[in-house]
Amino acid sequence: MASEEDDDPIIQEIDVYLAKSLADKLYLFQYPVRPSSMTYDDVTHLSAKIKPKQQKVELEMAINTLSPNYCRSKGEQIALNVDGTTSEDSNTYSVKMMDKQTFTSIQSTTNTSRYAAAVFRKGELHITPLQGILQMRPSFSYLDKADGKHREREAANEGGDSSQDEVEEDVKAVTVRFSRPESDQARQRRILSYDFLQKKQAEEPWVYLHYHGLNDGRSDHERQYLYCQAMGGSENTELVKTPKEYLAMLMPPITEEKMPVGPSNVLSMAQLRTLPLGDQVKTLLKNVKVIPFANLMGLLTPGTDSTAVLRCIQQVALLVQGNWVVKSDVLYPKNSCSPHSGVPAEVLCRGRDFVVGHTVYIPTISHSTSSCTGPQSNDVKDFLEHMAVPRINRGWEFLLPSDSDFIKKHPDVAQRQHMLWIGIQSKLEKVFNFSKEDLVSKKDPQTEAMHVSGEQRLKAAHERARQNQPSLQKDLSARRQGKGGAGPSGGAAVRVKEEPVSDGEDEPMDTSSSSSALPNGLVNGYPSAATSAALNPHNGHGGTPMPSPSPELRDFVWNMFRKQHVLTLSEVKRLFNLHLASLPPGDSLFHSISDRLLQDTILMSHCKQILVPFPAQSTAAADEQKVFAVWETGETFDKHRQVLYEIFMKNYRVRRNVIQTRLTQEMGDQVTKDDVDRLLKECCVSFGGMWYLKGTLQS
């Protein structure tokens, strides 16, 4: 111990005094835009002012306009922009030249209790606590004034061209309103708002100061207050501490702060890396929702074992096209509910797994798929926005490209995740009543044949003509040879090609062939009776009689149309699936409801299909083109709706005056504006000055 003290001897002891004369008035000014060698000590200070409560200081300093570094033309231009050509006392620059600049302060730190100014004199150290540390930066408020002048000149020029009559026309009536009593919650929000704080700061008056230079006599006098005025030990009790207390003040004991489990919305990487590896992976996945494995490794601490990360990520995420998507039960823990609709976490997890399941095999999610998950539309939108982006006319597309490199590098992980998805699909089958093929979205040629565009029909006709060209050429040659040896009554028979007569609707041209199997006979996307059985083998009616709808299903459909009045088949199916998701588990009242049975139930519920003539370029799906409307409700207003539906059987979109004229023709003069407003509100939507039936306007 003695040897250590000899190695570090005490060279000098210095007495420390605390000066308090300037404790509440001493500020440290910093000028960060200039080096310490270029001070403002010799620059003329024109004015100074302070707001003590805000610790805000403004200094005006003169600019040396005679310096060779000063651009005189630029200074004159700035003064002209700010003050204009007039000479007034309120001008910023009185000499028509930018001859001064303003410095405004900002606080470097709000806690200055650890900072002090020290003066060493005659073996004594005198320290004075700082009231504030301020950074002085140039202010460019004169540019705001220049912009204001420019706007005033433009307004004056525009106002000078208008006549007195035009000014009088601009006079408008002013409506006087009285504000309601402000609630406590609204008052708290107003007090914490930025505008309120700015207003409070502006209310504090400026205190104008007199500046004294560095070598001024008043400055020398004030510097004397940096020394402790009371040198007696009895009065200077602040520094009379025991060695242990003084050491505790210099090095306060470290209090262990409990680190948060994970930031809620903003991640601090420093705090994140103090968590265990499993918590790091879980926190990152909860925030990003979807991430490639390579990006995840880049966010973790360098040198982290990838095998350990793979082990952790499989506990909180699922593999989708080579990328990792956070599990539904991690986002929606047990006993939680939706912030939008209050749907319980169990239903949210089932719906989200249904949506994620479609992206496992294909990158695109159709609108009809996303509307059959059970939760409310806001919840489904959250599901999709977490992992997909909307594409015009294509539905929702998975957020990230497929990472085939990861699948090739880790085939065992990919196989394990595939088996896990098979288990999830088997659970979803029992809830949503579908097969694995529905989730995998395999293409069914018979189903796709229902959507036949004009271009496809033309291609099919060309293909059939190309295939039949040899036989037609042979027939033509045979007829030409028969002309020379046989007349009309000759023995050579002319073979006439016979086409089977369709029992359905008459068509001007049938370009389908037996090999292409492109069925026709769709009316507004609705299959006719002759083709419904052939077009819907998956709905459970392949030649078997249709089951009659249950009373519960009929009541549900009737109540739905009584409330909505007009619905597309796609919207009916979405609302029906939402109703199914709200039923308790195990409820089998609506088990195995096919599309055909649902349509028949609609038609049996006093509803009719409205054959809306969709435009040729419409991108609406088949279910979106099947429009149903309630025809009879027992109200006198039914006649108004029927007239409206007849209008939309001939027009895809109409103007309001067309509807009002037709109603007047059919109903007489008793049709009022309120009747038209009610009709349009119940059955239509407006866009671009035109009115459409609900569900027929494509986004």
Side-chain angles (χ1 to χ4, degrees), residues 492-543:
V494 178
R495 185 168 63 88
V496 180
K497 182 180 177 183
E498 295 183 358
E499 295 285 352
V501 180
S502 174
D503 295 334
E505 296 182 6
D506 295 336
E507 296 180 1
M509 186 194 327
D510 181 11
T511 59
S512 62
S513 65
S514 59
S515 60
S516 61
L518 298 178
N520 207 341
L522 297 182
V523 181
N524 194 18
Y526 188 89
S528 63
T531 59
S532 60
L535 295 181
N536 293 285
H538 301 289
N539 289 345
H541 349 262

Short mmCIF file of all heavy atoms in Angstrom, two decimals, residues 492-543:
data_model
loop_
_atom_site.label_atom_id
_atom_site.label_comp_id
_atom_site.label_asym_id
_atom_site.label_seq_id
_atom_site.Cartn_x
_atom_site.Cartn_y
_atom_site.Cartn_z
N ALA A 492 -74.06 -37.41 -108.65
CA ALA A 492 -73.12 -36.97 -107.60
C ALA A 492 -73.86 -36.21 -106.52
O ALA A 492 -74.51 -35.22 -106.81
CB ALA A 492 -72.03 -36.10 -108.22
N ALA A 493 -73.74 -36.68 -105.31
CA ALA A 493 -74.44 -36.05 -104.18
C ALA A 493 -73.55 -34.97 -103.58
O ALA A 493 -72.35 -35.13 -103.48
CB ALA A 493 -74.81 -37.10 -103.13
N VAL A 494 -74.19 -33.90 -103.21
CA VAL A 494 -73.47 -32.81 -102.54
C VAL A 494 -73.59 -33.00 -101.03
O VAL A 494 -74.70 -33.04 -100.49
CB VAL A 494 -74.05 -31.45 -102.96
CG1 VAL A 494 -73.32 -30.34 -102.23
CG2 VAL A 494 -73.94 -31.27 -104.46
N ARG A 495 -72.43 -33.10 -100.33
CA ARG A 495 -72.46 -33.32 -98.87
C ARG A 495 -72.55 -31.98 -98.15
O ARG A 495 -71.75 -31.09 -98.39
CB ARG A 495 -71.20 -34.07 -98.42
CG ARG A 495 -71.22 -34.44 -96.94
CD ARG A 495 -70.07 -35.42 -96.65
NE ARG A 495 -68.78 -34.79 -96.90
CZ ARG A 495 -68.12 -34.09 -95.96
NH1 ARG A 495 -68.66 -33.93 -94.77
NH2 ARG A 495 -66.95 -33.56 -96.25
N VAL A 496 -73.55 -31.88 -97.32
CA VAL A 496 -73.77 -30.65 -96.56
C VAL A 496 -73.35 -30.89 -95.12
O VAL A 496 -73.80 -31.84 -94.48
CB VAL A 496 -75.25 -30.22 -96.61
CG1 VAL A 496 -75.45 -28.95 -95.81
CG2 VAL A 496 -75.69 -30.02 -98.05
N LYS A 497 -72.48 -30.03 -94.63
CA LYS A 497 -72.03 -30.15 -93.23
C LYS A 497 -73.14 -29.65 -92.32
O LYS A 497 -73.64 -28.55 -92.48
CB LYS A 497 -70.76 -29.31 -93.01
CG LYS A 497 -70.23 -29.45 -91.59
CD LYS A 497 -68.98 -28.61 -91.40
CE LYS A 497 -68.50 -28.70 -89.98
NZ LYS A 497 -67.34 -27.84 -89.73
N GLU A 498 -73.52 -30.49 -91.36
CA GLU A 498 -74.61 -30.15 -90.45
C GLU A 498 -74.03 -29.82 -89.07
O GLU A 498 -73.14 -30.52 -88.58
CB GLU A 498 -75.58 -31.33 -90.33
CG GLU A 498 -76.30 -31.64 -91.65
CD GLU A 498 -77.30 -32.76 -91.48
OE1 GLU A 498 -77.38 -33.29 -90.36
OE2 GLU A 498 -77.99 -33.08 -92.46
N GLU A 499 -74.54 -28.78 -88.49
CA GLU A 499 -74.14 -28.37 -87.14
C GLU A 499 -75.29 -28.64 -86.19
O GLU A 499 -76.46 -28.42 -86.55
CB GLU A 499 -73.80 -26.87 -87.09
CG GLU A 499 -72.59 -26.48 -87.90
CD GLU A 499 -71.30 -26.90 -87.22
OE1 GLU A 499 -71.37 -27.35 -86.05
OE2 GLU A 499 -70.24 -26.80 -87.86
N PRO A 500 -75.03 -29.12 -85.00
CA PRO A 500 -76.12 -29.34 -84.04
C PRO A 500 -76.75 -28.02 -83.64
O PRO A 500 -76.06 -27.02 -83.46
CB PRO A 500 -75.42 -30.02 -82.86
CG PRO A 500 -74.00 -29.62 -82.97
CD PRO A 500 -73.73 -29.48 -84.44
N VAL A 501 -78.07 -28.04 -83.51
CA VAL A 501 -78.81 -26.83 -83.13
C VAL A 501 -78.77 -26.70 -81.61
O VAL A 501 -79.09 -27.63 -80.89
CB VAL A 501 -80.26 -26.90 -83.62
CG1 VAL A 501 -81.01 -25.64 -83.22
CG2 VAL A 501 -80.28 -27.09 -85.12
N SER A 502 -78.37 -25.52 -81.13
CA SER A 502 -78.29 -25.29 -79.69
C SER A 502 -79.67 -25.04 -79.12
O SER A 502 -80.50 -24.37 -79.73
CB SER A 502 -77.39 -24.08 -79.41
OG SER A 502 -77.42 -23.76 -78.05
N ASP A 503 -79.90 -25.61 -77.95
CA ASP A 503 -81.17 -25.39 -77.27
C ASP A 503 -81.18 -24.08 -76.49
O ASP A 503 -82.20 -23.67 -75.97
CB ASP A 503 -81.46 -26.54 -76.29
CG ASP A 503 -81.66 -27.85 -77.04
OD1 ASP A 503 -82.07 -27.77 -78.21
OD2 ASP A 503 -81.40 -28.92 -76.46
N GLY A 504 -80.03 -23.49 -76.39
CA GLY A 504 -79.96 -22.25 -75.60
C GLY A 504 -80.34 -21.07 -76.45
O GLY A 504 -81.10 -21.14 -77.41
N GLU A 505 -79.76 -19.92 -76.09
CA GLU A 505 -80.10 -18.70 -76.80
C GLU A 505 -79.44 -18.69 -78.18
O GLU A 505 -78.41 -19.30 -78.41
CB GLU A 505 -79.63 -17.49 -75.98
CG GLU A 505 -80.31 -17.34 -74.65
CD GLU A 505 -79.84 -16.11 -73.92
OE1 GLU A 505 -79.07 -15.35 -74.51
OE2 GLU A 505 -80.25 -15.92 -72.78
N ASP A 506 -80.09 -18.01 -79.15
CA ASP A 506 -79.51 -17.88 -80.48
C ASP A 506 -78.27 -17.02 -80.41
O ASP A 506 -78.25 -15.98 -79.76
CB ASP A 506 -80.53 -17.23 -81.44
CG ASP A 506 -81.74 -18.13 -81.62
OD1 ASP A 506 -81.58 -19.35 -81.43
OD2 ASP A 506 -82.82 -17.60 -81.93
N GLU A 507 -77.23 -17.46 -81.14
CA GLU A 507 -75.98 -16.73 -81.15
C GLU A 507 -75.57 -16.46 -82.59
O GLU A 507 -75.77 -17.31 -83.47
CB GLU A 507 -74.88 -17.54 -80.46
CG GLU A 507 -75.16 -17.78 -78.98
CD GLU A 507 -74.03 -18.57 -78.34
OE1 GLU A 507 -73.06 -18.88 -79.05
OE2 GLU A 507 -74.14 -18.87 -77.17
N PRO A 508 -75.01 -15.31 -82.86
CA PRO A 508 -74.61 -15.01 -84.23
C PRO A 508 -73.45 -15.86 -84.71
O PRO A 508 -73.31 -16.14 -85.88
CB PRO A 508 -74.21 -13.54 -84.16
CG PRO A 508 -73.89 -13.31 -82.72
CD PRO A 508 -74.79 -14.20 -81.95
N MET A 509 -72.55 -16.30 -83.79
CA MET A 509 -71.41 -17.09 -84.20
C MET A 509 -70.98 -17.95 -83.03
O MET A 509 -70.89 -17.47 -81.90
CB MET A 509 -70.25 -16.20 -84.63
CG MET A 509 -69.09 -17.01 -85.19
SD MET A 509 -67.55 -16.12 -85.34
CE MET A 509 -68.10 -14.50 -85.71
N ASP A 510 -70.71 -19.22 -83.30
CA ASP A 510 -70.21 -20.12 -82.26
C ASP A 510 -68.82 -20.54 -82.70
O ASP A 510 -68.65 -21.33 -83.62
CB ASP A 510 -71.13 -21.33 -82.12
CG ASP A 510 -70.63 -22.27 -81.02
OD1 ASP A 510 -69.72 -21.84 -80.28
OD2 ASP A 510 -71.13 -23.40 -80.94
N THR A 511 -67.81 -19.98 -82.06
CA THR A 511 -66.43 -20.26 -82.44
C THR A 511 -65.81 -21.33 -81.59
O THR A 511 -64.62 -21.59 -81.68
CB THR A 511 -65.59 -18.98 -82.31
OG1 THR A 511 -65.66 -18.53 -80.96
CG2 THR A 511 -66.10 -17.90 -83.24
N SER A 512 -66.58 -21.98 -80.73
CA SER A 512 -66.02 -23.02 -79.86
C SER A 512 -66.01 -24.34 -80.59
O SER A 512 -66.85 -24.62 -81.44
CB SER A 512 -66.85 -23.14 -78.58
OG SER A 512 -68.16 -23.51 -78.88
N SER A 513 -65.05 -25.19 -80.26
CA SER A 513 -64.95 -26.53 -80.82
C SER A 513 -65.01 -27.54 -79.73
O SER A 513 -64.91 -27.23 -78.55
CB SER A 513 -63.65 -26.66 -81.61
OG SER A 513 -62.57 -26.54 -80.74
N SER A 514 -65.18 -28.80 -80.12
CA SER A 514 -65.27 -29.86 -79.12
C SER A 514 -63.99 -30.03 -78.36
O SER A 514 -63.98 -30.41 -77.19
CB SER A 514 -65.64 -31.18 -79.81
OG SER A 514 -64.65 -31.50 -80.78
N SER A 515 -62.86 -29.71 -78.97
CA SER A 515 -61.59 -29.86 -78.27
C SER A 515 -61.32 -28.73 -77.32
O SER A 515 -60.74 -28.91 -76.27
CB SER A 515 -60.46 -29.95 -79.30
OG SER A 515 -60.42 -28.77 -80.07
N SER A 516 -61.72 -27.52 -77.67
CA SER A 516 -61.46 -26.38 -76.78
C SER A 516 -62.41 -26.31 -75.63
O SER A 516 -62.08 -25.76 -74.59
CB SER A 516 -61.50 -25.07 -77.59
OG SER A 516 -62.77 -24.92 -78.15
N ALA A 517 -63.62 -26.81 -75.80
CA ALA A 517 -64.62 -26.84 -74.72
C ALA A 517 -64.80 -25.48 -74.10
O ALA A 517 -64.70 -25.29 -72.91
CB ALA A 517 -64.22 -27.86 -73.66
N LEU A 518 -65.05 -24.46 -74.94
CA LEU A 518 -65.30 -23.12 -74.43
C LEU A 518 -66.80 -22.90 -74.44
O LEU A 518 -67.38 -22.62 -75.48
CB LEU A 518 -64.61 -22.07 -75.29
CG LEU A 518 -63.09 -22.15 -75.34
CD1 LEU A 518 -62.54 -21.10 -76.27
CD2 LEU A 518 -62.50 -22.01 -73.96
N PRO A 519 -67.49 -23.04 -73.31
CA PRO A 519 -68.95 -22.95 -73.31
C PRO A 519 -69.42 -21.53 -73.51
O PRO A 519 -68.78 -20.59 -73.09
CB PRO A 519 -69.34 -23.48 -71.93
CG PRO A 519 -68.17 -23.17 -71.08
CD PRO A 519 -66.97 -23.27 -71.97
N ASN A 520 -70.58 -21.39 -74.14
CA ASN A 520 -71.22 -20.11 -74.26
C ASN A 520 -72.58 -20.22 -73.60
O ASN A 520 -72.97 -21.26 -73.09
CB ASN A 520 -71.36 -19.71 -75.73
CG ASN A 520 -71.38 -18.21 -75.89
OD1 ASN A 520 -71.64 -17.51 -74.93
ND2 ASN A 520 -71.11 -17.76 -77.09
N GLY A 521 -73.37 -19.17 -73.62
CA GLY A 521 -74.69 -19.22 -73.02
C GLY A 521 -74.75 -18.49 -71.70
O GLY A 521 -75.68 -18.66 -70.93
N LEU A 522 -73.72 -17.66 -71.37
CA LEU A 522 -73.74 -16.88 -70.14
C LEU A 522 -74.50 -15.60 -70.38
O LEU A 522 -74.28 -14.92 -71.36
CB LEU A 522 -72.31 -16.55 -69.69
CG LEU A 522 -71.42 -17.75 -69.34
CD1 LEU A 522 -70.08 -17.26 -68.88
CD2 LEU A 522 -72.07 -18.59 -68.26
N VAL A 523 -75.42 -15.29 -69.48
CA VAL A 523 -76.18 -14.05 -69.57
C VAL A 523 -75.76 -13.18 -68.40
O VAL A 523 -76.06 -13.48 -67.25
CB VAL A 523 -77.70 -14.33 -69.51
CG1 VAL A 523 -78.47 -13.04 -69.62
CG2 VAL A 523 -78.09 -15.29 -70.63
N ASN A 524 -74.99 -12.10 -68.72
CA ASN A 524 -74.52 -11.19 -67.66
C ASN A 524 -73.74 -11.93 -66.59
O ASN A 524 -73.83 -11.66 -65.41
CB ASN A 524 -75.72 -10.47 -67.02
CG ASN A 524 -75.28 -9.30 -66.18
OD1 ASN A 524 -74.15 -8.83 -66.34
ND2 ASN A 524 -76.11 -8.82 -65.31
N GLY A 525 -72.99 -12.96 -67.02
CA GLY A 525 -72.21 -13.72 -66.06
C GLY A 525 -73.02 -14.75 -65.32
O GLY A 525 -72.52 -15.41 -64.42
N TYR A 526 -74.31 -14.94 -65.69
CA TYR A 526 -75.17 -15.86 -64.97
C TYR A 526 -75.48 -17.03 -65.91
O TYR A 526 -76.03 -16.85 -66.98
CB TYR A 526 -76.47 -15.16 -64.56
CG TYR A 526 -77.35 -15.98 -63.64
CD1 TYR A 526 -77.18 -15.90 -62.27
CD2 TYR A 526 -78.34 -16.82 -64.14
CE1 TYR A 526 -77.98 -16.64 -61.42
CE2 TYR A 526 -79.13 -17.56 -63.29
CZ TYR A 526 -78.95 -17.47 -61.93
OH TYR A 526 -79.73 -18.19 -61.08
N PRO A 527 -75.12 -18.29 -65.58
CA PRO A 527 -75.32 -19.41 -66.49
C PRO A 527 -76.79 -19.72 -66.66
O PRO A 527 -77.58 -19.66 -65.73
CB PRO A 527 -74.58 -20.56 -65.80
CG PRO A 527 -74.50 -20.17 -64.38
CD PRO A 527 -74.46 -18.69 -64.34
N SER A 528 -77.16 -20.05 -67.91
CA SER A 528 -78.54 -20.42 -68.19
C SER A 528 -78.82 -21.81 -67.65
O SER A 528 -77.93 -22.54 -67.23
CB SER A 528 -78.79 -20.37 -69.70
OG SER A 528 -77.96 -21.32 -70.34
N ALA A 529 -80.11 -22.19 -67.66
CA ALA A 529 -80.50 -23.47 -67.10
C ALA A 529 -79.87 -24.62 -67.86
O ALA A 529 -79.55 -25.66 -67.29
CB ALA A 529 -82.03 -23.58 -67.12
N ALA A 530 -79.69 -24.45 -69.18
CA ALA A 530 -79.14 -25.54 -69.99
C ALA A 530 -77.67 -25.78 -69.71
O ALA A 530 -77.17 -26.88 -69.87
CB ALA A 530 -79.36 -25.24 -71.47
N THR A 531 -76.96 -24.75 -69.30
CA THR A 531 -75.51 -24.87 -69.11
C THR A 531 -75.09 -24.87 -67.66
O THR A 531 -73.93 -25.05 -67.37
CB THR A 531 -74.80 -23.72 -69.83
OG1 THR A 531 -75.27 -22.50 -69.30
CG2 THR A 531 -75.04 -23.76 -71.32
N SER A 532 -76.00 -24.61 -66.73
CA SER A 532 -75.61 -24.49 -65.33
C SER A 532 -75.03 -25.77 -64.79
O SER A 532 -74.07 -25.77 -64.02
CB SER A 532 -76.82 -24.05 -64.49
OG SER A 532 -77.85 -25.03 -64.60
N ALA A 533 -75.62 -26.92 -65.16
CA ALA A 533 -75.11 -28.18 -64.65
C ALA A 533 -73.73 -28.48 -65.18
O ALA A 533 -72.88 -29.01 -64.48
CB ALA A 533 -76.08 -29.30 -65.02
N ALA A 534 -73.49 -28.11 -66.45
CA ALA A 534 -72.17 -28.38 -67.02
C ALA A 534 -71.11 -27.45 -66.51
O ALA A 534 -69.95 -27.79 -66.40
CB ALA A 534 -72.26 -28.29 -68.55
N LEU A 535 -71.52 -26.24 -66.19
CA LEU A 535 -70.54 -25.24 -65.78
C LEU A 535 -70.24 -25.29 -64.30
O LEU A 535 -69.30 -24.67 -63.86
CB LEU A 535 -71.04 -23.83 -66.14
CG LEU A 535 -71.19 -23.55 -67.63
CD1 LEU A 535 -71.67 -22.13 -67.82
CD2 LEU A 535 -69.90 -23.79 -68.35
N ASN A 536 -71.02 -25.95 -63.50
CA ASN A 536 -70.83 -25.96 -62.06
C ASN A 536 -70.72 -27.38 -61.51
O ASN A 536 -71.48 -27.78 -60.64
CB ASN A 536 -71.98 -25.23 -61.36
CG ASN A 536 -71.98 -23.75 -61.67
OD1 ASN A 536 -71.17 -23.02 -61.14
ND2 ASN A 536 -72.89 -23.34 -62.53
N PRO A 537 -69.80 -28.19 -62.02
CA PRO A 537 -69.68 -29.54 -61.47
C PRO A 537 -69.13 -29.53 -60.07
O PRO A 537 -69.31 -30.48 -59.34
CB PRO A 537 -68.73 -30.22 -62.45
CG PRO A 537 -67.91 -29.12 -63.01
CD PRO A 537 -68.82 -27.94 -63.08
N HIS A 538 -68.44 -28.46 -59.68
CA HIS A 538 -67.83 -28.42 -58.36
C HIS A 538 -68.80 -27.92 -57.31
O HIS A 538 -68.46 -27.87 -56.14
CB HIS A 538 -66.59 -27.51 -58.39
CG HIS A 538 -65.57 -27.98 -59.37
ND1 HIS A 538 -64.83 -29.12 -59.20
CD2 HIS A 538 -65.19 -27.47 -60.58
CE1 HIS A 538 -64.01 -29.28 -60.23
NE2 HIS A 538 -64.22 -28.29 -61.08
N ASN A 539 -69.95 -27.47 -57.66
CA ASN A 539 -70.90 -26.96 -56.69
C ASN A 539 -71.82 -28.05 -56.16
O ASN A 539 -72.71 -27.78 -55.37
CB ASN A 539 -71.76 -25.85 -57.31
CG ASN A 539 -70.94 -24.60 -57.51
OD1 ASN A 539 -69.87 -24.49 -56.93
ND2 ASN A 539 -71.42 -23.67 -58.30
N GLY A 540 -71.65 -29.23 -56.63
CA GLY A 540 -72.43 -30.32 -56.09
C GLY A 540 -73.71 -30.59 -56.82
O GLY A 540 -74.61 -31.22 -56.29
N HIS A 541 -73.88 -30.12 -58.08
CA HIS A 541 -75.09 -30.45 -58.81
C HIS A 541 -74.81 -31.19 -60.10
O HIS A 541 -75.46 -30.94 -61.07
CB HIS A 541 -75.93 -29.26 -59.25
CG HIS A 541 -75.55 -27.99 -58.68
ND1 HIS A 541 -76.17 -27.49 -57.63
CD2 HIS A 541 -74.60 -27.09 -59.01
CE1 HIS A 541 -75.67 -26.32 -57.34
NE2 HIS A 541 -74.71 -26.08 -58.15
N GLY A 542 -73.88 -32.03 -60.18
CA GLY A 542 -73.62 -32.74 -61.42
C GLY A 542 -74.69 -33.74 -61.75
O GLY A 542 -74.52 -34.95 -61.62
N GLY A 543 -75.86 -33.28 -62.13
CA GLY A 543 -76.95 -34.15 -62.51
C GLY A 543 -77.86 -34.53 -61.36
O GLY A 543 -78.89 -35.15 -61.55
#
